[in-house]
Structure formats: structure tokens, C-alpha cells
Amino acid sequence: MGQLNPNDPSQIAYYPSAVPSARLSVYIAGTDTLAQLFRDADLTALLANPLRADAAGTFERCFLVDGDYRVVIRSRSGDVIVEQDDVVIRSDSGDVVRSFRRLPDLLADRSLSYDGGTGRQKIREGDLVEVKEGGFVYAVTGSGAASDCATLGGIKLEAAANGANRISVAQFGPALDGVTDDSAAMQKAIDRAAASGGGLVLLPPGPMVVGDIVVPDDVWIDGTLYSFYENVTTNGRTRLIRRGDAGTMFTVGSRVRLTNFDMDGNGGTDAGAGNGIEAEGSSRLEMQGVKILDFNYGINGGVGSPLGGLDMRFCVVRNNAWGLRNCKDSFLLRSTFSANRIRALYLNGGQVTVQTCFIEFQRSGANLDEAAYGIYLGRNANEILIANCTFDRNAGNDIYFERSGTDKPRHINVCGNIFKGAGWGADLTPDGRRSINMLGSSCSSLTNNVFQTRSSKPSPSKGAPSPLIAASCEQHDGLVWQGNNVTGILPVMDLREPDFADIYAWAPSGSGTDEYYLRDNNDYGEGTDPFIDGPDGVLFEAGDLGAGTPGTLSAGQWAFGDNDGLGFQTVYVRLPTGSPTMQTDLRMYYNKDGVRFDNAGDVATDAYRCAIARDTLSGGQTRTYTLNLRDAAMQSSTYLRSHVKLALSLRQATTNADAYVEVPVLLRRDGGASTSAVIGTVTTHDAGLTVGTTGTDIVLSIASVEPFGHALTLSVENTGAHSVKLVGGLLW
């Protein structure tokens, strides 16, 4: 004898349970003969076949002789909804002898009895009782045995999994008041599921205080809903609150799944918050619809044996010290990492995809106005894809590439992302305000990204309006920078503009002369620090002011510093005549580019086969660059007049003079070791600067590098007094 529960998908797959007045027919397998259905486990009270669903679409349970059956479910009009040929009925170790509507009804029961008697129903050890609300099942234990709960009539009960191997924490009597420690109830439910080789543990709605929960292999923990950004504790959501003395909320094994609940670290400080999920050494952790809030490590994947196979979707990791600390062979998809105080993501392993995620507003410090990282790539990170994500207002770098000696991230692909307003942290130096900070990498690609580099610091602080660098790239062996769009660079800050006139004001210096410094006008209630970077120069009525020292400026000079004990640095000026106001024609210029390459080899950009890193030459400075000739023909030809062309774009910031030049390069090898590389006739366009081999503003010379045809050495001399920016490379 066995039981058939038509509402259980483990017995009848895919039945849509809300089909009112449906008909269920049970046939002997392979025939059209209707089977006998019984109301009771003793097979004495017959039921009609077919069964009829009630107005809610629910069928009554029934009992059958052990065997194989065919089940057909039809609508009231006779249309077939489900037909299943492989329904197997086998005897259970115990039978459901009684059903109760709610758990309190079961616990208040006095009618069940081990001995029977007048008005009492006799039951035996191993029998099952069920609670329909929640689908709970309990097994009757012996009168002297340990139990999970007991009825008022003295029947001891042990929580059991239902037919789909599901068990609920609610079966173990948690308080669900957000104050009482419910750890024991949750651990019992998890252990009971694990004892049968794994299963589904259901979390009831409401707040539960838990901590130091161990989740063995092959266990799935499922709540009701999670609250995304808002801190909602009602509306049927499951909210887990870390017990105050707990070092972690969950320590997970392998093949664990966590879905649909909030995790609240309940931590006032990082050190006191404990960790959310300890997963070092684990593999195949699946997470969907989980919010992790206010922990030290939201997810600690470890370093020595990092978490492998993390599959994370539709999650929120917010306001932790570290959001996710390391993983490998993982997918992080459509999730949000927000307001974490050190790093949102730390990746130091291989083969991780971060895609369509929001990584926003990481910040640190007592006033939450200091730098924190979006994604931090450790020196062992490799084969990382960061694609189609939005980075928004992170106080530190959006992406940071670590380098230690020769160890540096490799095979990193950053493509199709949006970077907005990074690097506003008050603790950053002007040179540190950048979206991507690449201290080194090997064989990496940054393509088709959009950088919005000028942005104010989020409320309550307004931050620096000065220029930011989209990307700073150092120590690279093979880097592709193509298809990127950099907007919002602020080459000139015109203090007469209404936006700036509303923010700033000039105040007299303590030097006792006509020296003034730029200050905040205090409309924001944050003191007088204007949060500006030191400019490369100051223009007054289109002419350069000279550089000087704060406190001792001569007429017609400027400086950047703090001469008055202000506690911050700012711009000081002393005009040739008069005093500055916000209507004075004063402009600060910044000799910065959207991207900077330093000591980078084999850089490919949109325009050049071999690119010269964007660079700045001060007046009188000479610099050399190695340009690779990655073409087999150039290495094999004994006599080669190539079509190689050197293209340079040059600009002098202070005078707005610029030039674009195309320089043919003649490569010649007349047998033996006799080689030469000669600059041809220089063609100059938009000639604000003169370029040539002698007697010009910019003097070029070029030589071959042995072995012949592998590379060229380009020497560029700035013979003028002003700085010149240049970018270019080889075309062929």
C-alpha cells in the first residue's frame, strides 16, 4: 500500500495546481482500466475514480495497492491537462494517519494517543501526521525518545521531509520575533535535510536571529522574498539577523544553494559585524535573490583555497567592509554591489565573469568621504571578463590592477562598461583620481567603454570638480585600448562660469599683500575647502601668470599650497593690478589626458598599429620611445623601402598651438649589417608648432634597433619653453 498526493510535483510533474474542478483518473499502467482508490491506509473505504479537485484546484490524497499507474488530469470540459505514465506507488515506512490545518492545531491536539481509548485515536511509532498549511510532515517517535516537538496529548514528533524532500525551519518551532536566538531551529532543519543526502530547507517569512550556521553539501536554503535596496521587514520577506556573538552567519559546503532572503549583519562597525558567508574551499555555491548587508566580509571566498564555481544572480551586496573576497571559475550576473567600505569585489584567481552588474558608491572613512575600490584585481588575477556593467560614483578607483614585482593581472577583458564620476575621495591625491588604475597587466584589453570623468562627490559632500583620469596604464605587456569614449575632461576651469561662481569665492591671504586664495563660499555648510586639484597653470586675460610661492607672490604670480594654516591646499593669485573676483577673467588649466600610458609595451589603439603612449614633454625636455615593427616582411627583406609612416599629434596647452604631422620613415638594409632608418619629409597640418629634424619647435630623430626590422627608436625634443602633449604611433 502507498499514498498518492496529486498536488505533489515529486509524484505528478508539472501539474498546475490551480485548475478548479479538474478530474484526475488513475489507470493501471499500460491499460485503460481504472484503479481502485482508497480513502484510508487500511484500504477499506473506497474513493471515486476519477477524483475531483475543489474550487482551489486541490485534490484529495488517496491510497492504492503498490504498483505502476498511469494518471490523466482533465479540465471540467474534458481537455487533457497532464498525462503521466510512470507513476510508481510503493509502501512508505509510515502512513499519514491524521492531518491538521495549522501547526498550532497539531501542537494543541489531545486526541492522538499511544494507547487509544474513548475519544482518542491510537497511533504507533513511525506513523506520519501532516500540517496542510506549509506542507509539513512529522513522524511519531516513541514515548521515551527524543523529539523536536510534542502535542499537548503527549505525542512526541520528529520533523520529517515531505515527498519532495523538503523540510521547513518552522517545523522546529522558531520564535520569529527578531530577538530570540533561532539558530538551533535552523540548524536542526538543515541537519535533517543533510542526513538524507541533501534537500530543500524552507525559511518562513519574518525575522530570525541566527549565527554560526553550518550548511553541509547538497543543501538548498530557500526563503520567501528578499528586499533588494529597501530595508523592508514585512510583506512576507525572510530576514536573517546575525546573532551578536556570531563570527559568521553561514559556513557552507559544496553544491549549496541560497535563495530569496535577506542577511543582516547587525554590525555597527566593520570589526564587530562578523562575516556573512564563509566559503573558502567550497565549490558550486549558487545564490539568487539574496541581500547581504552590514557584514565585515559579505562573502569570504578565502585566499589559499578560494571559493570555486560561484553562480551569483540578482543579489545585492551592500554596506559591508568587503563585498566579495575572492572566487574563481565563477559568474557574477545582474547583481548590485553598493556602498561597501573597502572593496566591493576582490578577485585574485582565474576565470571570473562579472557582467551586467551595478558597482556603485563604494566609500570609506569616518565621514564616508574617502576612497574605496569597486573591483580590485590582485596580482594573480587572470582570465577575468568585466562586461556591460555600470560603475557609478565610487570614491576610489572603479577598477584597480595590483602589481608586485613581475606579478600582475593577465588576460583581463574590460568591455562595454559605463564609468561615471570615480575618484572623488577626499584622501586621494590629484593624480589618484581615476576610473581605472592599472599598475600593470599582461595581454589585456579595454574596449568600447564610456568614461564620464567629471563629477561631483555625492551628497552630503560635493567633492572636487577638477579633472579626473579615465585610465592610467603602467607596465603592460600587450594592451589594447580601442573604441573607448572619454567625456567630461576639464582642461580649463573658467572661474567666471555660473557653476563655479556659485561655489567659490576669493579671500585675502594673510601675507598682507594683494594675494588672494580660492575658497568655498560655504553654501554647502562644510567649511571653506574648495576640493580642487593643483592646476598646471593659471591664465589671466589669456596670458600666463608666473609660478611662485604662497605668501611671497609677486604681482602677476600664482601658487598652489597652504600659507594660512587653512588645513587644505588651494590656489593663490596676485594679479598684476587689482584684486580677483568671481567675475575676473581667471582660468586654471590642467595638462591632463583622458588616458595615460607609462612604460607600456605593444600598445594598440584605434589609430595606430604601434602606439606612443600619451605623454607630456616639458620645455627643453627630450624623450625616447621604442616603436615595434610587428611585420614579418620587414624582418626578411634585404632591401626595403617601406610604407611605414610616423603620425604625431602635438598640442601646447598654454598657447593653444598645435600640429598634426605625418612623417615617412625609410627603412634600408643593404646586405650584411649595414642598416639605416631615416626620417623623410615632414608634412605638417594645422601648423601652430613647427616640426622637423633641426631648428624647429619639435625636433625628431629616429634610429633602427638591432636586429634590423624589429623596432625603431624615436627621439623627440621639445625646444620651446612650454609643455607639449603628444600622442601618436606607426601606421602601415
Side-chain angles (χ1 to χ4, degrees):
M1 177 279 305
Q3 180 181 217
L4 173 65
N5 179 7
N7 311 295
D8 187 346
S10 68
Q11 290 193 291
I12 301 177
Y14 310 116
Y15 170 55
S17 59
V19 181
S21 304
R23 308 303 201 266
L24 182 146
S25 301
V26 182
Y27 301 92
I28 304 298
T31 74
D32 290 326
T33 304
L34 289 170
Q36 286 188 318
L37 309 182
F38 297 89
R39 190 184 305 275
D40 61 321
D42 295 329
L43 307 184
T44 59
L46 283 169
L47 276 173
N49 188 0
L51 295 174
R52 176 179 294 182
D54 61 18
T58 303
F59 287 104
E60 182 179 357
R61 296 171 187 258
C62 62
F63 295 88
L64 299 92
V65 174
D66 288 357
D68 298 337
Y69 295 90
R70 178 169 65 93
V71 172
V72 179
I73 301 177
R74 297 180 176 87
S75 67
R76 184 164 49 184
S77 61
D79 297 326
V80 175
I81 301 172
V82 172
E83 183 168 358
Q84 187 168 327
D85 295 325
D86 56 350
V87 178
V88 179
I89 301 298
R90 295 290 183 266
S91 298
D92 298 323
S93 58
D95 304 322
V96 175
V97 297
R98 185 78 173 273
S99 295
F100 294 84
R101 188 171 68 86
R102 299 180 306 125
L103 182 57
D105 298 336
L106 168 61
L107 299 180
D109 178 74
R110 297 178 182 272
S111 65
L112 298 177
S113 169
Y114 289 112
D115 302 320
T118 304
R120 307 195 74 183
Q121 179 181 353
K122 183 176 180 178
I123 60 173
R124 61 185 185 275
E125 185 176 347
D127 284 343
L128 302 177
V129 295
E130 74 169 346
V131 176
K132 289 191 173 183
E133 188 178 276
F136 305 155
V137 177
Y138 291 88
V140 176
T141 65
S143 59
S147 64
D148 296 320
C149 57
T151 69
L152 287 179
I155 300 301
K156 293 189 174 182
L157 304 171
E158 181 180 75
N162 65 9
N165 203 23
R166 294 181 298 181
I167 197 163
S168 175
V169 173
Q171 293 175 257
F172 297 85
L176 299 176
D177 59 7
V179 178
T180 306
D181 184 4
D182 289 328
S183 301
M186 179 178 287
Q187 192 66 64
K188 283 182 179 180
I190 292 171
D191 292 345
R192 196 66 51 81
S196 60
L200 172 60
V201 176
L202 300 174
L203 304 179
M208 278 192 291
V209 175
V210 296
D212 296 322
I213 301 296
V214 177
V215 185
D217 297 351
D218 301 305
V219 171
W220 174 8
I221 300 178
D222 186 31
T224 52
L225 291 169
Y226 80 120
S227 62
F228 194 61
Y229 253 25
E230 69 275 19
N231 292 320
V232 177
T233 58
T234 57
N235 298 332
R237 286 164 169 77
T238 299
R239 181 183 176 215
L240 306 181
I241 304 169
R242 185 186 65 90
R243 192 183 65 233
D245 64 343
T248 186
M249 182 169 283
F250 291 118
T251 299
V252 300
S254 296
R255 300 175 301 281
V256 168
R257 190 176 186 190
L258 308 175
T259 55
N260 301 317
F261 54 84
D262 289 355
M263 295 172 55
D264 186 344
N266 196 25
T269 64
D270 295 350
N275 297 332
I277 299 172
E278 286 284 351
E280 183 167 6
S282 301
S283 64
R284 291 182 57 190
L285 171 62
E286 296 182 38
M287 298 177 61
Q288 182 167 314
V290 177
K291 178 179 179 180
I292 304 176
L293 175 74
D294 279 341
F295 290 92
N296 183 26
Y297 295 126
I299 304 170
N300 184 18
V303 177
S305 179
L307 164 65
L310 172 63
D311 189 336
M312 184 179 194
R313 303 166 189 254
F314 303 104
C315 293
V316 174
V317 182
R318 186 175 186 220
N319 209 40
N320 307 282
W322 298 56
L324 166 62
R325 183 183 183 231
N326 211 11
C327 62
K328 62 181 182 180
D329 307 324
S330 299
F331 291 89
L332 314 178
L333 307 175
R334 302 181 71 176
S335 294
T336 297
F337 297 84
S338 172
N340 298 288
R341 296 182 291 280
I342 297 177
R343 298 168 187 174
L345 293 167
Y346 171 71
L347 303 176
N348 198 34
Q351 298 182 335
V352 178
T353 293
V354 184
Q355 192 165 4
T356 57
C357 292
F358 285 90
I359 301 169
E360 58 185 13
F361 203 13
Q362 325 305 325
R363 71 280 188 272
S364 64
N367 298 317
L368 298 180
D369 63 352
E370 297 179 7
Y373 296 101
I375 298 179
Y376 188 106
L377 299 177
R379 61 182 183 270
N380 296 315
N382 66 92
E383 298 180 9
I384 307 293
L385 171 64
I386 303 170
N388 306 119
C389 296
T390 297
F391 294 79
D392 187 12
R393 295 172 298 163
N394 295 301
N397 305 135
D398 289 327
I399 304 177
Y400 180 88
F401 287 62
E402 180 186 62
R403 184 183 81 239
S404 178
T406 59
D407 294 332
K408 52 192 175 184
R410 58 195 184 278
H411 308 125
I412 311 299
N413 187 359
V414 181
C415 63
N417 303 283
I418 296 175
F419 298 91
K420 298 164 48 180
W424 52 264
D427 57 326
L428 290 178
T429 63
D431 195 46
R433 292 180 174 145
R434 54 190 65 160
S435 289
I436 297 180
N437 193 0
M438 304 177 71
L439 297 187
S441 77
S442 178
C443 298
S444 295
S445 173
L446 287 85
T447 57
N448 301 320
N449 301 287
V450 176
F451 295 86
Q452 179 183 331
T453 57
R454 180 186 175 191
S455 178
S456 292
K457 188 163 39 174
S459 178
S461 302
K462 71 173 184 302
S466 50
L468 305 177
I469 300 172
S472 177
C473 309
E474 306 174 23
Q475 301 292 335
H476 294 281
D477 305 318
L479 175 66
V480 176
W481 173 276
Q482 292 180 338
N484 299 297
N485 182 275
V486 180
T487 64
I489 293 294
L490 186 64
V492 177
M493 179 175 165
D494 189 341
L495 295 170
R496 295 174 302 172
E497 292 182 7
D499 287 347
F500 297 131
D502 290 341
I503 297 174
Y504 303 113
W506 290 101
S509 161
S511 62
T513 64
D514 292 331
E515 185 175 309
Y516 285 76
Y517 66 85
L518 191 68
R519 52 156 285 175
D520 184 88
N521 66 12
N522 212 25
D523 283 353
Y524 292 84
E526 297 178 358
T528 57
D529 188 349
F531 291 100
I532 62 169
D533 295 343
D536 293 294
V538 177
L539 301 176
F540 171 62
E541 296 180 353
D544 280 312
L545 293 180
T549 303
T552 60
L553 293 181
S554 300
Q557 287 189 320
W558 74 278
F560 186 80
D562 179 5
N563 180 57
D564 300 284
L566 302 172
F568 58 84
Q569 291 187 312
T570 186
V571 167
Y572 288 75
V573 298
R574 185 176 177 186
L575 299 183
T577 57
S579 302
T581 69
M582 295 312 295
Q583 286 73 47
T584 302
D585 184 10
L586 271 166
R587 289 171 289 162
M588 297 185 289
Y589 69 82
Y590 294 86
N591 194 22
K592 296 182 185 293
D593 285 294
V595 61
R596 188 174 72 199
F597 301 99
D598 294 322
N599 298 317
D602 289 340
V603 176
T605 69
D606 295 289
Y608 307 109
R609 292 283 295 272
C610 180
I612 297 174
R614 282 181 170 88
D615 204 354
T616 300
L617 273 70
S618 302
Q621 185 178 21
T622 300
R623 196 165 282 181
T624 59
Y625 306 93
T626 299
L627 305 177
N628 292 317
L629 296 170
R630 292 170 291 180
D631 191 320
M634 295 182 182
Q635 300 178 30
S636 61
S637 176
T638 58
Y639 183 88
L640 177 64
R641 290 179 179 272
S642 75
H643 297 285
V644 175
K645 185 177 292 184
L646 170 66
L648 291 177
S649 177
L650 307 109
R651 170 157 296 188
Q652 197 170 33
T654 55
T655 62
N656 291 326
D658 55 17
Y660 176 77
V661 300
E662 294 180 353
V663 184
V665 179
L666 175 66
L667 300 178
R668 181 184 178 114
R669 179 174 182 176
D670 293 327
S674 175
T675 64
S676 63
V678 181
I679 290 181
T681 303
V682 177
T683 303
T684 305
H685 306 278
D686 301 325
L689 295 170
T690 59
V691 182
T693 55
T694 58
T696 53
D697 296 325
I698 304 296
V699 176
L700 305 177
S701 63
I702 198 162
S704 62
V705 175
E706 297 300 331
F708 178 76
H710 280 221
L712 300 175
T713 297
L714 171 69
S715 174
V716 182
E717 179 186 2
N718 178 9
T719 64
H722 296 291
S723 295
V724 172
K725 294 189 292 184
L726 69 95
V727 64
L730 294 181
L731 308 172
W732 62 78

